[in-house]
Amino acid sequence: MTEAVAVAQPDLAQPAVRQPDVEPPRTEVNDSSGPVHTGTGNQLNDIRLYLNRSRKPRTRDITQHTLRQLWSSFVPPAGFDRAARVLAAPDGLVILSGAVGTGRSTAGLMLLYADIAPDTVVRFVAADLEKSAVEAERRIFEGTDVRENDRLVLDLSEADGESFGELQDYLHALQPALRERGAKLVAILPHLHGEQLKVDLLSFMVEIRRPDSFQVLQRRLAAEGMPATDLSAYRESFASSSMDGLVRVVYQVREAWLERPGAAIDALLAEILNSAEKREQKIAKVVQSADGARPRALLIAAALLHGLSTHTVFRGQERLLELLRGADDDGDHVLEVAGVAEALATLGLDLSVTPEPGQRLHFADQELPAEVLRHFWDDMPWLRARLADWVAELVGSGTGSLDRFDMATLARRFGAQCRRTRDTDLALRLVEEWSGDRYQSQRSAAYTLLEDLLDDDGTASAARQKVYNWTRDTHLPDGRVAMVVAACVNMLADRYLDQAVVRLSWLAEHAEYGVRLAAREGLGELVQDPDRRLEVIDLVLDRSRFNAANFAAVAAPAGLPLFLGTEALERLVTGWQRAFQETDPLYRDPLFRRWLTAHTEALEDDRPNDAHGVQQVLAMVCAHQHELLDGLFNTMLDWLEARSDDPFRLQTAQIIEQVVRRGRRSGATSLSEAGQ
């Protein structure tokens, strides 16, 4: 074997210091014993290590603080007492049915809140509609995940018909664990599929009905610290009000009360309701006079496009008229059907136009535009799909020279109506259309709309599913790739970190190199937050389809010294060993270069302690792995040759040579001891 040229030996027990003038290694490390092969048995043991590690079930904790806040404004709906009796039975299961907006999720939490200890949390289990992903990731919530005296809510409200059939078997699988451990589970039933509930689960089903709006108003005002003396005069005003509308009124009262702390709550409520009534009366005259298609189209265009130029509003009006008038139109326009005037009698319009240049259209009352859209949306639901086509074209074509901000604003205004009535498919159709556009402004509008959908509990499930479907698309457009990565990093990671990792991991296995690179950059972004760094790494490690490049993206060598002296270090070292072992030796070079670069950059930035930490962890990864040590050394030689005049690379090369020599000596000692 060829002797290595002797070089100054640094003390590897101490942090590296600047030594720019060093002689590079010039020979291969070799040994007559050859590399140590791990063999099939060791590989299986390594896999079993990851498969048997405890999983983190997909739950979200609802803390006592949150539960107390909900309880402070909670009004038990009809059916609540019966649900409590069913849940109290030894089976520990109740299935809540009811129409959308009846407060089933809140009722479920309150059923569990009634009898738990002060330090107990309620765990919220989100129904996973991504069956293939769940099975592959092994993270579905199972019977083994149920704890003693556990309190669980399983939300099935967004499940479609096919998924709901499968999820019922999931309930059966959890029942034995509930009985054995004294746990309680509230399942939220999808209202549209209640008739599909299996016969043996019918005894657990209880229908929840809408609570009294007036009582909810009183409780919410009191919870905000605004007790009212007598609000009975307003009972009829809220008799048919939606819960969302009621909450908006409470917020308006609170804002007014903060501005005028001494005002009586009932007086503030009267002002807000009277203001709304006056607005309706004033606007009614405008709506009644708008008895044809053209003025109504102008009303809709003004409501959506307010703040833009009058030219843009006019163009929008004209295009809307064209879209709404079919080829077989016999003269009666869809906006002129009988009964529209009566349905829109509560609407109005108060517009002003700024002077030249610009001539932008504005509502004097900023609350009017959304209300105009709301009433058209609610009273003429047959218009929704056509309005979606209209908005899609406005943004897609940039009518009236809309800038990027204008397009995003239109997307947000239209999306607000979709979210309010859970017309998620309409909004997602626009997201899909705009995200495939070649212009950044349209893609920006798509991302704005997607963000809002992901941020709304009523539409988030379908939006997450759409993002997941895109990650499995083999022909994903470039613009949509960036949007999916951003959505995972900026939105999903905050509440559903595991789902963000799953989606980025799928994307990181895409056939296109650019897509894989973008996804791995996204995974790298997730670990920038110190509070979730280790959890992200664990999620990548726990995946049954472990991917070396994905692991390298989240467990970057530069960040690993932070884990020295912690319990996490061992699994990180094992993870890197697995990354090297599951990568063909011909393609390990980029992985080795990550370590070399991390060490060199630490030296360049005058961070000797960090450089020493990288060296220490690398030594652990390659310990007793002769094949890895040889590969590391050979990669280092090629890496150094590319820039042999760099003093910091020379210093790194010297340190790596010592790591390799010591690793091989310790390995040889271990083999010798084993032979004895």
Side-chain angles (χ1 to χ4, degrees), residues 197-241:
L197 193 66
K198 295 182 179 179
V199 175
D200 56 343
L201 292 175
L202 288 175
S203 61
F204 300 105
M205 187 176 75
V206 177
E207 184 176 1
I208 293 294
R209 296 183 181 177
R210 188 175 181 272
D212 182 82
S213 298
F214 181 67
Q215 293 182 31
V216 175
L217 173 66
Q218 290 180 308
R219 289 294 301 270
R220 283 191 172 273
L221 287 172
E224 295 285 348
M226 300 180 294
T229 53
D230 182 15
L231 300 178
S232 58
Y234 305 103
R235 180 179 292 275
E236 292 300 321
S237 300
F238 295 99
S240 59
S241 175

Side-chain angles (χ1 to χ4, degrees), residues 493-648:
D494 289 338
R495 294 180 62 183
Y496 301 97
L497 182 59
D498 53 346
Q499 293 192 21
V501 172
V502 167
R503 285 154 178 75
L504 290 174
S505 297
W506 275 114
L507 208 58
E509 296 178 8
H510 200 276
E512 294 291 336
Y513 173 76
V515 177
R516 297 197 302 271
L517 181 62
R520 286 164 188 161
E521 288 177 351
L523 287 169
E525 285 290 325
L526 292 182
V527 294
Q528 297 305 309
D529 184 346
D531 293 335
R532 66 188 182 200
R533 178 180 292 126
L534 188 55
E535 185 176 358
V536 173
I537 292 173
D538 280 344
L539 286 168
V540 174
L541 276 173
D542 279 343
R543 299 187 70 236
S544 60
R545 295 180 309 278
F546 177 86
N547 182 287
N550 293 353
F551 179 75
V554 299
L560 296 188
L562 295 172
F563 298 100
L564 284 169
T566 69
E567 296 179 357
L569 182 61
E570 182 179 355
R571 64 179 180 269
L572 291 171
V573 168
T574 307
W576 264 104
Q577 289 174 341
R578 184 179 182 185
F580 282 120
Q581 290 165 355
E582 297 189 12
T583 301
D584 188 289
L586 295 175
Y587 301 105
R588 288 176 184 164
D589 185 75
L591 298 179
F592 286 128
R593 287 174 180 267
R594 284 177 174 266
W595 290 90
L596 300 173
T597 301
H599 188 276
T600 301
E601 288 179 349
L603 294 178
E604 289 178 335
D605 296 340
D606 198 19
R607 295 182 285 112
N609 290 330
D610 290 344
H612 184 63
V614 171
Q615 164 203 325
Q616 285 182 292
V617 181
L618 178 59
M620 296 178 192
V621 170
C622 295
H624 312 304
Q625 307 283 337
H626 284 212
E627 185 180 4
L628 295 187
L629 291 167
D630 286 352
L632 171 63
F633 188 83
N634 290 330
T635 296
M636 180 268 292
L637 290 177
D638 293 338
W639 173 80
L640 180 61
E641 184 178 355
R643 288 179 55 187
S644 58
D645 58 341
D646 186 336
F648 298 107

